[in-house]
Amino acid sequence: MKRNVSVLLGTVMLSLVLLQTPQTVQGDRLQPKGYRETVEKLQKFYVQFEDKVSREFRRWKEDGTMSQHFRQLIHASAINKNERAQEIRELPTAREGPLCTICRGFGGSVLEFRREGASREEVFNTTVELCTMLNLQEESICRGLIELNIDTILYIVDNRPDLTSASLCAVVFQSGACVLDDPSFTEWEVDVDPNGTPVTASKTGTAQRGPNDLKIVQITDLHFDPNYRTGYNAECGAPACCRESQGVPDDAEAGAGHWGDYRNCDTPWNAVEDLIDRVAEEHSDADIVYHTGDIIDHGIWETSIGYNVRSINRVIGKLRDTFPETPVYNILGNHEAHPTNVYELGEVSRPDFSTNWLYHLSADLWSHWLPRAADQTIRLGGYY
């Protein structure tokens, strides 16, 4: 039976691996030849796999023990450790199908488990166990991530009875292999000025310079990590490495560099300072600085409001000291919120979901460069 499960998953992986001739581009990803046909076949496979996992999952919860077949399904689905530290968009296109399969199969079972009355604790313990067995992360990181996000996820599940695993996984993965066909996500419109000039093709050539041009410098994705330590483990396999808690590796080559590290690490403070100072020196004639967010590091399993506030204060303070007269226009990134990615726009009444702390903090810190008229919308939703 183990061989059959492995062959089944292996067939899906192989079907994408073999299609490596670049043919089309969607967004910023090359799609291999035959990609669409393969994706269509995958949709049927997802349903079959989801049903198979669901049956074994139910037996597990009814009997209290995992069957050998269920363990084989998990083992065959487990990801490689070297994929843990990568974002989905960084993985080869060939991995889209297998990862969506994991989400649809095991995520779908947890979704139904909750709808059948499972408590927060039961969902938490079950999800941590599956996360660890599927090798998605080390157990401590699984626990941290799930603890930070479980209440938000349960709120969505409890208040969206029509939410399917297909829609959930498509929104999470944002990949072509996880097809999103939920009208509540796809049927929306943007009003466009009918009197404007239609865009029918990409621009060609370079615009001519003029005396009224502005010089704009963009600073983005600093991902300052206050826990970064030179010489500490840069090859830890976590979403963020080079951190104090991860220790010094036996192999000195695996140690973090003084100014940062091109492996899976974020930015030490000395590099943040140096970058901002260098911008001021090299572009002293800049008219405007765009700072487009993502101050917070990738230690997404152990953030807190206080932790994020300290990092945001430090970075914006450095920008304010370095550019006291030059306008700096800031925006929020997905990492500024706690938990990461989770923004609440006043539509949910639960105080523990509120992002007002971030909007008010931003309004106070950004006010150095902005007119008072911008204050209201920043406090309302972090925009101006």
Side-chain angles (χ1 to χ4, degrees):
M1 183 61 70
K2 181 176 181 180
R3 182 178 181 276
N4 291 339
V5 174
S6 299
V7 168
L8 189 60
L9 282 173
T11 301
V12 177
M13 295 170 64
L14 185 61
S15 65
L16 284 171
V17 170
L18 291 175
L19 302 174
Q20 290 301 308
T21 305
Q23 184 73 11
T24 59
V25 177
Q26 182 178 30
D28 61 349
R29 291 177 66 87
L30 289 173
Q31 293 184 347
K33 186 177 180 180
Y35 179 84
R36 292 184 180 179
E37 292 78 6
T38 302
V39 168
E40 289 178 5
K41 294 177 182 178
L42 282 172
Q43 306 315 304
K44 297 178 182 178
F45 172 76
Y46 294 153
V47 175
Q48 297 169 358
F49 186 76
E50 195 168 349
D51 289 343
K52 182 174 292 188
V53 172
S54 178
R55 288 195 297 271
E56 294 299 326
F57 184 94
R58 286 178 181 275
R59 292 193 184 104
W60 173 32
K61 292 306 171 182
E62 290 171 359
D63 301 340
T65 57
M66 285 188 182
S67 68
Q68 184 64 23
H69 182 44
F70 193 38
R71 291 183 181 276
Q72 290 168 352
L73 282 171
I74 294 172
H75 177 73
S77 304
I79 70 168
N80 296 322
K81 284 188 176 182
N82 61 3
E83 293 180 330
R84 287 175 174 175
Q86 294 179 278
E87 295 187 18
I88 295 167
R89 64 187 294 120
E90 297 173 339
L91 293 170
T93 307
R95 293 297 291 148
E96 290 182 358
L99 290 173
C100 193
T101 300
I102 294 172
C103 182
R104 288 283 298 270
F106 298 96
S109 291
V110 174
L111 183 68
E112 292 306 312
F113 185 46
R114 172 64 174 183
R115 287 183 172 151
E116 291 171 358
S119 67
R120 181 191 189 277
E121 182 181 9
E122 289 173 323
V123 173
F124 176 81
N125 291 333
T126 297
T127 310
V128 168
E129 187 168 1
L130 289 174
C131 176
T132 306
M133 293 184 71
L134 287 165
N135 212 21
L136 301 181
Q137 288 294 340
E138 296 291 341
E139 182 179 347
S140 60
I141 297 178
C142 285
R143 285 188 174 277
L145 276 171
I146 294 167
E147 179 59 42
L148 289 182
N149 290 278
I150 188 170
D151 292 317
T152 304
I153 294 170
L154 292 182
Y155 180 89
I156 294 170
V157 171
D158 294 346
N159 287 275
R160 287 287 303 274
D162 58 337
L163 183 66
T164 65
S165 62
S167 296
L168 180 66
C169 296
V171 170
V172 170
F173 280 87
Q174 300 280 304
S175 77
C178 269
V179 177
L180 181 62
D181 58 5
D182 186 335
S184 62
F185 290 101
T186 58
E187 292 184 1
W188 50 273
E189 296 179 351
V190 175
D191 292 329
V192 178
D193 183 1
N195 299 316
T197 303
V199 178
T200 58
S202 299
K203 292 183 179 180
T204 58
T206 303
Q208 292 184 343
R209 298 291 184 182
N212 297 320
D213 288 352
L214 296 176
K215 182 175 183 179
I216 301 173
V217 175
Q218 181 182 11
I219 299 173
T220 191
D221 291 81
L222 290 171
H223 290 295
F224 160 52
D225 189 352
N227 296 306
Y228 187 102
R229 297 293 182 271
T230 300
Y232 280 63
N233 192 359
E235 299 175 352
C236 69
C241 296
C242 302
R243 314 186 96 205
E244 186 172 22
S245 61
Q246 292 155 348
V248 178
D250 295 332
D251 181 3
E253 292 295 319
H258 176 71
W259 292 102
D261 203 288
Y262 282 115
R263 287 165 290 188
N264 201 47
C265 305
D266 284 314
T267 315
W269 180 249
N270 59 305
V272 173
E273 278 194 309
D274 185 69
L275 182 147
I276 295 173
D277 289 340
R278 186 61 60 89
V279 167
E281 293 169 8
E282 298 292 330
H283 303 284
S284 58
D285 58 339
D287 297 289
I288 296 171
V289 175
Y290 283 166
H291 175 226
T292 48
D294 269 7
I295 291 171
I296 307 302
D297 59 72
H298 287 83
I300 56 176
W301 68 97
E302 54 185 3
T303 60
S304 68
I305 291 177
Y307 180 90
N308 289 18
V309 166
R310 287 189 291 274
S311 290
I312 293 169
N313 267 319
R314 194 170 185 184
V315 170
I316 299 299
K318 174 62 180 176
L319 289 170
R320 185 176 58 246
D321 294 342
T322 308
F323 302 104
E325 304 299 331
T326 304
V328 177
Y329 296 130
N330 300 273
I331 64 171
L332 296 171
N334 63 303
H335 278 264
E336 270 69 85
H338 169 76
T340 306
N341 299 319
V342 180
Y343 281 86
E344 194 280 311
L345 297 176
E347 299 174 358
V348 179
S349 59
R350 283 182 52 166
D352 55 324
F353 287 169
S354 175
T355 325
N356 285 341
W357 65 270
L358 180 56
Y359 302 147
H360 294 318
L361 174 68
S362 301
D364 293 338
L365 294 177
W366 299 350
S367 64
H368 177 80
W369 299 285
L370 296 175
R372 293 187 63 181
D375 185 82
Q376 182 178 3
T377 56
I378 297 173
R379 294 186 187 278
L380 179 65
Y383 61 91
Y384 58 96

Short mmCIF file of all heavy atoms in Angstrom, two decimals, residues 36-74:
data_model
loop_
_atom_site.label_atom_id
_atom_site.label_comp_id
_atom_site.label_asym_id
_atom_site.label_seq_id
_atom_site.Cartn_x
_atom_site.Cartn_y
_atom_site.Cartn_z
N ARG A 36 -1.54 24.06 -18.41
CA ARG A 36 -2.99 24.16 -18.18
C ARG A 36 -3.66 22.80 -18.19
O ARG A 36 -4.54 22.52 -17.37
CB ARG A 36 -3.62 25.07 -19.23
CG ARG A 36 -3.20 26.53 -19.10
CD ARG A 36 -3.93 27.41 -20.09
NE ARG A 36 -3.54 28.80 -19.96
CZ ARG A 36 -4.01 29.79 -20.72
NH1 ARG A 36 -4.89 29.52 -21.67
NH2 ARG A 36 -3.60 31.03 -20.54
N GLU A 37 -3.25 21.95 -19.11
CA GLU A 37 -3.84 20.61 -19.17
C GLU A 37 -3.52 19.82 -17.91
O GLU A 37 -4.37 19.10 -17.37
CB GLU A 37 -3.32 19.86 -20.40
CG GLU A 37 -3.78 20.42 -21.74
CD GLU A 37 -3.02 21.66 -22.17
OE1 GLU A 37 -2.04 22.03 -21.48
OE2 GLU A 37 -3.40 22.27 -23.20
N THR A 38 -2.29 19.98 -17.42
CA THR A 38 -1.90 19.29 -16.20
C THR A 38 -2.70 19.79 -15.01
O THR A 38 -3.14 19.00 -14.17
CB THR A 38 -0.39 19.49 -15.93
OG1 THR A 38 0.35 19.00 -17.05
CG2 THR A 38 0.05 18.75 -14.68
N VAL A 39 -2.90 21.09 -14.94
CA VAL A 39 -3.67 21.67 -13.84
C VAL A 39 -5.10 21.15 -13.84
O VAL A 39 -5.68 20.86 -12.79
CB VAL A 39 -3.64 23.22 -13.92
CG1 VAL A 39 -4.67 23.83 -12.96
CG2 VAL A 39 -2.25 23.74 -13.58
N GLU A 40 -5.69 21.01 -15.02
CA GLU A 40 -7.05 20.48 -15.11
C GLU A 40 -7.12 19.06 -14.56
O GLU A 40 -8.06 18.69 -13.85
CB GLU A 40 -7.52 20.50 -16.57
CG GLU A 40 -7.79 21.91 -17.10
CD GLU A 40 -8.22 21.89 -18.55
OE1 GLU A 40 -8.38 20.78 -19.12
OE2 GLU A 40 -8.37 22.98 -19.15
N LYS A 41 -6.12 18.25 -14.87
CA LYS A 41 -6.09 16.88 -14.35
C LYS A 41 -5.89 16.88 -12.83
O LYS A 41 -6.45 16.04 -12.12
CB LYS A 41 -4.96 16.10 -15.02
CG LYS A 41 -5.17 15.87 -16.51
CD LYS A 41 -3.98 15.15 -17.13
CE LYS A 41 -4.17 14.97 -18.63
NZ LYS A 41 -2.99 14.32 -19.25
N LEU A 42 -5.10 17.83 -12.36
CA LEU A 42 -4.84 17.91 -10.92
C LEU A 42 -6.11 18.17 -10.13
O LEU A 42 -6.28 17.66 -9.02
CB LEU A 42 -3.82 19.01 -10.62
CG LEU A 42 -2.35 18.68 -10.89
CD1 LEU A 42 -1.49 19.93 -10.73
CD2 LEU A 42 -1.86 17.59 -9.95
N GLN A 43 -7.04 18.95 -10.68
CA GLN A 43 -8.25 19.29 -9.95
C GLN A 43 -9.04 18.02 -9.59
O GLN A 43 -9.60 17.91 -8.50
CB GLN A 43 -9.13 20.25 -10.76
CG GLN A 43 -8.44 21.52 -11.24
CD GLN A 43 -7.58 22.19 -10.19
OE1 GLN A 43 -8.06 22.54 -9.10
NE2 GLN A 43 -6.31 22.39 -10.50
N LYS A 44 -9.07 17.06 -10.51
CA LYS A 44 -9.76 15.80 -10.24
C LYS A 44 -8.99 14.98 -9.19
O LYS A 44 -9.59 14.34 -8.32
CB LYS A 44 -9.91 15.00 -11.53
CG LYS A 44 -10.76 15.69 -12.59
CD LYS A 44 -10.81 14.87 -13.87
CE LYS A 44 -11.64 15.60 -14.93
NZ LYS A 44 -11.67 14.83 -16.21
N PHE A 45 -7.67 15.02 -9.30
CA PHE A 45 -6.86 14.27 -8.34
C PHE A 45 -7.03 14.83 -6.93
O PHE A 45 -7.09 14.07 -5.96
CB PHE A 45 -5.38 14.32 -8.74
CG PHE A 45 -4.47 13.75 -7.70
CD1 PHE A 45 -4.37 12.37 -7.53
CD2 PHE A 45 -3.74 14.57 -6.86
CE1 PHE A 45 -3.54 11.83 -6.56
CE2 PHE A 45 -2.91 14.04 -5.89
CZ PHE A 45 -2.81 12.67 -5.73
N TYR A 46 -7.11 16.16 -6.81
CA TYR A 46 -7.29 16.78 -5.49
C TYR A 46 -8.53 16.22 -4.79
O TYR A 46 -8.50 15.90 -3.60
CB TYR A 46 -7.45 18.30 -5.61
CG TYR A 46 -6.24 19.04 -6.11
CD1 TYR A 46 -6.39 20.25 -6.79
CD2 TYR A 46 -4.95 18.56 -5.91
CE1 TYR A 46 -5.29 20.95 -7.25
CE2 TYR A 46 -3.84 19.26 -6.37
CZ TYR A 46 -4.02 20.45 -7.05
OH TYR A 46 -2.94 21.15 -7.50
N VAL A 47 -9.63 16.12 -5.53
CA VAL A 47 -10.88 15.63 -4.95
C VAL A 47 -10.72 14.20 -4.47
O VAL A 47 -11.15 13.83 -3.37
CB VAL A 47 -12.03 15.74 -5.98
CG1 VAL A 47 -13.30 15.11 -5.43
CG2 VAL A 47 -12.28 17.20 -6.35
N GLN A 48 -10.08 13.37 -5.28
CA GLN A 48 -9.87 11.97 -4.91
C GLN A 48 -8.98 11.86 -3.67
O GLN A 48 -9.27 11.09 -2.74
CB GLN A 48 -9.24 11.21 -6.07
CG GLN A 48 -10.11 11.14 -7.32
CD GLN A 48 -9.36 10.61 -8.52
OE1 GLN A 48 -8.16 10.33 -8.44
NE2 GLN A 48 -10.05 10.48 -9.65
N PHE A 49 -7.92 12.64 -3.66
CA PHE A 49 -7.00 12.59 -2.53
C PHE A 49 -7.66 13.13 -1.26
O PHE A 49 -7.49 12.58 -0.17
CB PHE A 49 -5.75 13.41 -2.85
CG PHE A 49 -4.67 13.30 -1.80
CD1 PHE A 49 -3.88 12.16 -1.72
CD2 PHE A 49 -4.44 14.33 -0.91
CE1 PHE A 49 -2.88 12.05 -0.75
CE2 PHE A 49 -3.45 14.23 0.06
CZ PHE A 49 -2.67 13.09 0.14
N GLU A 50 -8.44 14.19 -1.42
CA GLU A 50 -9.15 14.77 -0.27
C GLU A 50 -10.11 13.75 0.34
O GLU A 50 -10.21 13.63 1.57
CB GLU A 50 -9.90 16.02 -0.72
CG GLU A 50 -10.37 16.91 0.42
CD GLU A 50 -10.86 18.26 -0.07
OE1 GLU A 50 -10.66 18.60 -1.25
OE2 GLU A 50 -11.46 18.98 0.75
N ASP A 51 -10.81 13.01 -0.50
CA ASP A 51 -11.73 11.97 0.00
C ASP A 51 -10.97 10.88 0.74
O ASP A 51 -11.40 10.39 1.79
CB ASP A 51 -12.52 11.36 -1.17
CG ASP A 51 -13.55 12.31 -1.74
OD1 ASP A 51 -13.88 13.30 -1.06
OD2 ASP A 51 -14.01 12.09 -2.88
N LYS A 52 -9.84 10.49 0.19
CA LYS A 52 -9.04 9.42 0.81
C LYS A 52 -8.53 9.86 2.18
O LYS A 52 -8.62 9.12 3.17
CB LYS A 52 -7.88 9.05 -0.11
CG LYS A 52 -7.02 7.91 0.42
CD LYS A 52 -5.97 7.50 -0.59
CE LYS A 52 -6.61 6.86 -1.81
NZ LYS A 52 -5.61 6.27 -2.73
N VAL A 53 -7.99 11.07 2.25
CA VAL A 53 -7.48 11.58 3.52
C VAL A 53 -8.62 11.74 4.52
O VAL A 53 -8.49 11.42 5.71
CB VAL A 53 -6.75 12.92 3.32
CG1 VAL A 53 -6.40 13.55 4.67
CG2 VAL A 53 -5.49 12.72 2.50
N SER A 54 -9.77 12.22 4.04
CA SER A 54 -10.91 12.44 4.92
C SER A 54 -11.35 11.14 5.60
O SER A 54 -11.65 11.12 6.80
CB SER A 54 -12.08 13.04 4.12
OG SER A 54 -13.22 13.21 4.94
N ARG A 55 -11.39 10.06 4.85
CA ARG A 55 -11.79 8.77 5.43
C ARG A 55 -10.82 8.33 6.52
O ARG A 55 -11.23 7.89 7.61
CB ARG A 55 -11.88 7.70 4.33
CG ARG A 55 -13.05 7.87 3.39
CD ARG A 55 -13.27 6.60 2.58
NE ARG A 55 -12.13 6.30 1.72
CZ ARG A 55 -11.98 6.76 0.48
NH1 ARG A 55 -12.90 7.58 -0.03
NH2 ARG A 55 -10.94 6.42 -0.24
N GLU A 56 -9.53 8.46 6.24
CA GLU A 56 -8.53 8.05 7.23
C GLU A 56 -8.51 8.98 8.43
O GLU A 56 -8.29 8.55 9.56
CB GLU A 56 -7.15 7.99 6.56
CG GLU A 56 -7.01 6.93 5.50
CD GLU A 56 -7.22 5.52 6.06
OE1 GLU A 56 -6.85 5.28 7.23
OE2 GLU A 56 -7.77 4.67 5.33
N PHE A 57 -8.73 10.26 8.18
CA PHE A 57 -8.76 11.25 9.25
C PHE A 57 -9.91 10.94 10.21
O PHE A 57 -9.75 10.98 11.44
CB PHE A 57 -8.92 12.65 8.65
CG PHE A 57 -8.87 13.77 9.66
CD1 PHE A 57 -7.68 14.43 9.93
CD2 PHE A 57 -10.02 14.17 10.34
CE1 PHE A 57 -7.63 15.47 10.85
CE2 PHE A 57 -9.98 15.21 11.26
CZ PHE A 57 -8.78 15.86 11.52
N ARG A 58 -11.08 10.62 9.66
CA ARG A 58 -12.24 10.31 10.50
C ARG A 58 -11.98 9.07 11.36
O ARG A 58 -12.33 9.04 12.54
CB ARG A 58 -13.47 10.08 9.62
CG ARG A 58 -14.05 11.35 9.02
CD ARG A 58 -15.23 11.04 8.11
NE ARG A 58 -15.78 12.24 7.52
CZ ARG A 58 -16.67 13.02 8.12
NH1 ARG A 58 -17.10 12.71 9.33
NH2 ARG A 58 -17.12 14.10 7.51
N ARG A 59 -11.35 8.07 10.76
CA ARG A 59 -11.03 6.86 11.54
C ARG A 59 -10.07 7.20 12.68
O ARG A 59 -10.18 6.66 13.79
CB ARG A 59 -10.41 5.81 10.62
CG ARG A 59 -11.37 5.23 9.59
CD ARG A 59 -10.79 3.98 8.94
NE ARG A 59 -11.67 3.47 7.89
CZ ARG A 59 -11.45 3.63 6.59
NH1 ARG A 59 -10.37 4.27 6.18
NH2 ARG A 59 -12.30 3.14 5.70
N TRP A 60 -9.12 8.07 12.39
CA TRP A 60 -8.16 8.50 13.42
C TRP A 60 -8.88 9.13 14.60
O TRP A 60 -8.62 8.81 15.76
CB TRP A 60 -7.16 9.47 12.78
CG TRP A 60 -6.21 10.13 13.74
CD1 TRP A 60 -5.70 9.61 14.89
CD2 TRP A 60 -5.65 11.44 13.60
NE1 TRP A 60 -4.84 10.51 15.49
CE2 TRP A 60 -4.80 11.64 14.71
CE3 TRP A 60 -5.77 12.45 12.64
CZ2 TRP A 60 -4.08 12.83 14.90
CZ3 TRP A 60 -5.05 13.62 12.81
CH2 TRP A 60 -4.22 13.81 13.93
N LYS A 61 -9.82 10.02 14.31
CA LYS A 61 -10.51 10.73 15.38
C LYS A 61 -11.52 9.83 16.10
O LYS A 61 -11.78 10.00 17.29
CB LYS A 61 -11.21 11.97 14.81
CG LYS A 61 -10.22 13.05 14.36
CD LYS A 61 -9.26 13.41 15.48
CE LYS A 61 -8.13 14.29 15.05
NZ LYS A 61 -7.19 14.56 16.17
N GLU A 62 -12.08 8.88 15.40
CA GLU A 62 -13.03 7.95 16.03
C GLU A 62 -12.33 6.90 16.88
O GLU A 62 -12.77 6.58 17.99
CB GLU A 62 -13.87 7.26 14.94
CG GLU A 62 -14.85 8.20 14.24
CD GLU A 62 -15.50 7.55 13.03
OE1 GLU A 62 -15.16 6.37 12.75
OE2 GLU A 62 -16.32 8.21 12.36
N ASP A 63 -11.21 6.38 16.37
CA ASP A 63 -10.50 5.30 17.07
C ASP A 63 -9.44 5.80 18.04
O ASP A 63 -9.02 5.08 18.95
CB ASP A 63 -9.83 4.36 16.06
CG ASP A 63 -10.84 3.74 15.10
OD1 ASP A 63 -12.04 3.73 15.44
OD2 ASP A 63 -10.42 3.29 14.01
N GLY A 64 -8.96 7.03 17.81
CA GLY A 64 -7.92 7.58 18.67
C GLY A 64 -6.51 7.21 18.25
O GLY A 64 -5.55 7.64 18.89
N THR A 65 -6.38 6.42 17.21
CA THR A 65 -5.05 6.06 16.71
C THR A 65 -5.03 6.17 15.19
O THR A 65 -6.04 5.95 14.52
CB THR A 65 -4.68 4.61 17.09
OG1 THR A 65 -5.69 3.72 16.60
CG2 THR A 65 -4.56 4.46 18.60
N MET A 66 -3.86 6.50 14.66
CA MET A 66 -3.71 6.59 13.21
C MET A 66 -3.52 5.20 12.61
O MET A 66 -2.74 4.41 13.12
CB MET A 66 -2.48 7.44 12.85
CG MET A 66 -2.64 8.92 13.03
SD MET A 66 -1.18 9.78 12.35
CE MET A 66 -1.62 11.48 12.75
N SER A 67 -4.21 4.95 11.52
CA SER A 67 -4.01 3.69 10.82
C SER A 67 -2.67 3.71 10.09
O SER A 67 -2.10 4.78 9.84
CB SER A 67 -5.14 3.47 9.81
OG SER A 67 -5.04 4.41 8.75
N GLN A 68 -2.19 2.55 9.76
CA GLN A 68 -0.94 2.46 9.01
C GLN A 68 -1.07 3.15 7.66
O GLN A 68 -0.15 3.81 7.18
CB GLN A 68 -0.55 0.99 8.82
CG GLN A 68 0.79 0.78 8.14
CD GLN A 68 1.96 1.30 8.96
OE1 GLN A 68 1.86 1.44 10.18
NE2 GLN A 68 3.06 1.61 8.28
N HIS A 69 -2.25 3.01 7.06
CA HIS A 69 -2.47 3.64 5.77
C HIS A 69 -2.42 5.16 5.88
O HIS A 69 -1.86 5.84 5.00
CB HIS A 69 -3.83 3.20 5.21
CG HIS A 69 -4.15 3.76 3.85
ND1 HIS A 69 -3.22 3.79 2.83
CD2 HIS A 69 -5.28 4.32 3.35
CE1 HIS A 69 -3.77 4.34 1.76
NE2 HIS A 69 -5.01 4.67 2.05
N PHE A 70 -2.98 5.71 6.95
CA PHE A 70 -2.96 7.16 7.13
C PHE A 70 -1.53 7.65 7.33
O PHE A 70 -1.12 8.68 6.78
CB PHE A 70 -3.83 7.55 8.33
CG PHE A 70 -4.13 9.03 8.41
CD1 PHE A 70 -4.36 9.78 7.27
CD2 PHE A 70 -4.17 9.68 9.64
CE1 PHE A 70 -4.64 11.14 7.34
CE2 PHE A 70 -4.45 11.03 9.72
CZ PHE A 70 -4.68 11.77 8.57
N ARG A 71 -0.75 6.90 8.09
CA ARG A 71 0.65 7.28 8.29
C ARG A 71 1.42 7.25 6.96
O ARG A 71 2.30 8.07 6.71
CB ARG A 71 1.31 6.36 9.31
CG ARG A 71 0.79 6.56 10.73
CD ARG A 71 1.52 5.69 11.74
NE ARG A 71 1.00 5.89 13.07
CZ ARG A 71 1.37 6.88 13.89
NH1 ARG A 71 2.30 7.74 13.50
NH2 ARG A 71 0.84 7.00 15.09
N GLN A 72 1.06 6.28 6.13
CA GLN A 72 1.71 6.20 4.82
C GLN A 72 1.33 7.39 3.94
O GLN A 72 2.18 7.92 3.21
CB GLN A 72 1.32 4.88 4.14
CG GLN A 72 1.93 3.65 4.80
CD GLN A 72 1.32 2.36 4.31
OE1 GLN A 72 0.33 2.36 3.58
NE2 GLN A 72 1.90 1.23 4.72
N LEU A 73 0.08 7.80 4.02
CA LEU A 73 -0.36 8.99 3.27
C LEU A 73 0.43 10.22 3.72
O LEU A 73 0.88 11.03 2.89
CB LEU A 73 -1.85 9.23 3.47
CG LEU A 73 -2.83 8.37 2.68
CD1 LEU A 73 -4.25 8.60 3.17
CD2 LEU A 73 -2.73 8.67 1.19
N ILE A 74 0.57 10.36 5.02
CA ILE A 74 1.31 11.51 5.56
C ILE A 74 2.77 11.45 5.14
O ILE A 74 3.35 12.45 4.69
CB ILE A 74 1.18 11.55 7.10
CG1 ILE A 74 -0.27 11.83 7.50
CG2 ILE A 74 2.11 12.61 7.69
CD1 ILE A 74 -0.53 11.70 9.00
#
